[in-house]
């Protein structure tokens, strides 16, 4: 307490500019440490709150620099359209992912590995990508075959938008498998400018919220 009083009295005697200089010179480490503590605490509290809620949907938007994440106009629009209660469930639009499936080095790309983990852990529900990249990801087997019973009705609903890849069976027979939907005329292109050309949406092979993915497609293609 004596030290505190001495410092207080010392500061009172200094002009304003010198007072600020003194505080910064002698206490900047404490100030920076306190700021860091507040930021880290807020981050951890936010993560704790999100981690203790189920996801309504988790979507990866690859190779875009447009803000599509939480609290963006695009995110808010989907929340309103879907009726999601974000006080009870998470709507996660992950828009920080950059990789090219046509590159042989993609398996060493952090973002690609992250997407693989999200798929394998049954976290990711859908991914939006340039059409060619999406087809290559579908070729790898990480996207749902839309002939699946869970997505058949959705496939029929948007039958004119199917993106297919060629699969060769063990007996050598080739067949076309639908792995995504063409959304090149969606609001992501026409309103958000998130993609400048062709883009498509694919559903994770381990998606847990297919009904929400259908809501997302309806939102994206509203008025298209």
């Amino acid at each position: 307490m004596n030290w505190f009083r001495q410092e207080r009295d010392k500061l009172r005697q200094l002009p304003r500019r010198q007072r600020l200089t003194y505080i910064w010179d002698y206490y900047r480490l404490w100030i920076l440490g306190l700021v860091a503590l507040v930021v880290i605490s807020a981050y951890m509290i936010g993560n704790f709150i999100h981690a203790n809620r189920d996801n309504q949907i988790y979507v990866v938007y690859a190779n875009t620099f447009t803000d599509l994440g939480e609290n963006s106009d695009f995110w808010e629009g989907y929340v309103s359209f879907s009726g999601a209660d974000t006080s009870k469930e998470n709507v996660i639009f992950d828009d920080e992912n950059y990789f090219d499936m046509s590159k042989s080095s993609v398996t060493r790309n952090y973002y690609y590995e992250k997407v693989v983990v999200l798929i394998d852990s049954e976290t990711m529900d859908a991914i939006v990508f340039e059409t060619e990249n999406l087809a290559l990801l579908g070729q790898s087997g990480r996207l749902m075959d839309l002939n699946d019973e869970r997505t058949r009705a959705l496939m029929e609903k948007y039958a004119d938008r199917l993106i297919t890849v060629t699969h060769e069976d063990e007996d050598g027979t080739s067949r076309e498998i639908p792995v995504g939907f063409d959304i090149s005329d969606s609001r992501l292109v026409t309103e958000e400018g998130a993609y400048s050309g062709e883009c498509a949406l694919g559903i994770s092979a381990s998606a847990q919220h297919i009904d929400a993915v259908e809501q997302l497609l309806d939102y994206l293609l509203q008025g298209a």
Side-chain angles (χ1 to χ4, degrees):
M1 290 297 294
N2 288 333
W3 173 83
F4 176 77
R5 292 192 189 95
Q6 290 173 1
E7 289 296 297
R8 183 186 60 188
D9 292 341
K10 185 185 299 182
L11 287 170
R12 284 176 175 173
Q13 297 171 13
L14 295 174
R16 176 182 172 81
R17 184 180 296 275
Q18 291 183 22
R19 190 184 307 164
L20 293 175
T21 301
Y22 180 87
I23 291 173
W24 181 248
D25 286 345
Y26 288 93
Y27 299 108
R28 65 174 176 271
L29 293 180
W30 288 94
I31 294 170
L32 293 173
L34 181 60
V35 170
L37 179 62
V38 170
V39 171
I40 293 171
S41 297
Y43 176 79
M44 292 181 67
I45 290 171
N47 277 356
F48 177 79
I49 292 172
H50 281 76
N52 283 275
R53 296 199 303 242
D54 291 331
N55 291 340
Q56 193 263 3
I57 193 171
Y58 191 122
V59 185
V60 166
Y61 297 90
N63 298 347
T64 179
F65 294 99
T66 301
D67 179 13
L68 303 172
E70 187 171 357
N71 297 323
S72 67
D73 290 343
F74 176 75
W75 182 91
E76 294 280 6
Y78 169 77
V79 170
S80 176
F81 179 86
S82 66
D85 185 350
T86 55
S87 68
K88 298 179 180 178
E89 54 189 0
N90 301 319
V91 172
I92 301 178
F93 285 0
D94 183 352
D95 59 359
E96 298 182 354
N97 306 275
Y98 313 95
F99 59 97
D100 186 343
M101 289 297 299
S102 68
K103 303 294 185 182
S104 59
S105 59
V106 70
T107 55
R108 298 191 297 275
N109 181 290
Y110 162 77
Y111 298 107
Y112 171 76
E113 294 296 339
K114 168 188 162 185
V115 166
V116 169
V117 170
L118 289 171
I119 293 173
D120 291 348
S121 64
E122 301 183 350
T123 301
M124 190 186 88
D125 295 301
I127 184 169
V128 176
F129 226 166
E130 300 94 345
T131 303
E132 183 180 354
N133 266 318
L134 186 102
L136 290 171
L137 185 61
Q139 196 79 57
S140 73
R142 297 196 179 277
L143 296 181
M144 186 174 289
D145 177 348
L146 298 175
N147 288 306
D148 189 288
E149 184 66 32
R150 294 169 294 171
T151 54
R152 192 168 297 163
L154 183 57
M155 181 183 71
E156 293 173 356
K157 182 177 182 178
Y158 291 112
D160 59 335
R161 294 180 174 275
L162 294 179
I163 304 294
T164 63
V165 297
T166 303
H167 175 76
E168 188 170 300
D169 294 330
E170 292 182 357
D171 61 2
T173 303
S174 294
R175 57 191 177 94
E176 293 296 307
I177 296 178
V179 296
F181 301 96
D182 183 353
I183 56 170
S184 300
D185 58 345
S186 72
R187 67 176 65 233
L188 277 174
V189 176
T190 61
E191 295 180 21
E192 301 297 332
Y195 297 91
S196 59
E198 293 185 351
C199 62
L201 179 145
I203 301 176
S204 166
S206 58
Q208 299 297 301
H209 308 101
I210 293 173
D211 289 346
V213 175
E214 181 172 1
Q215 287 183 309
L216 175 63
L217 271 169
D218 291 343
Y219 170 65
L220 290 173
L221 298 171
Q222 190 180 37

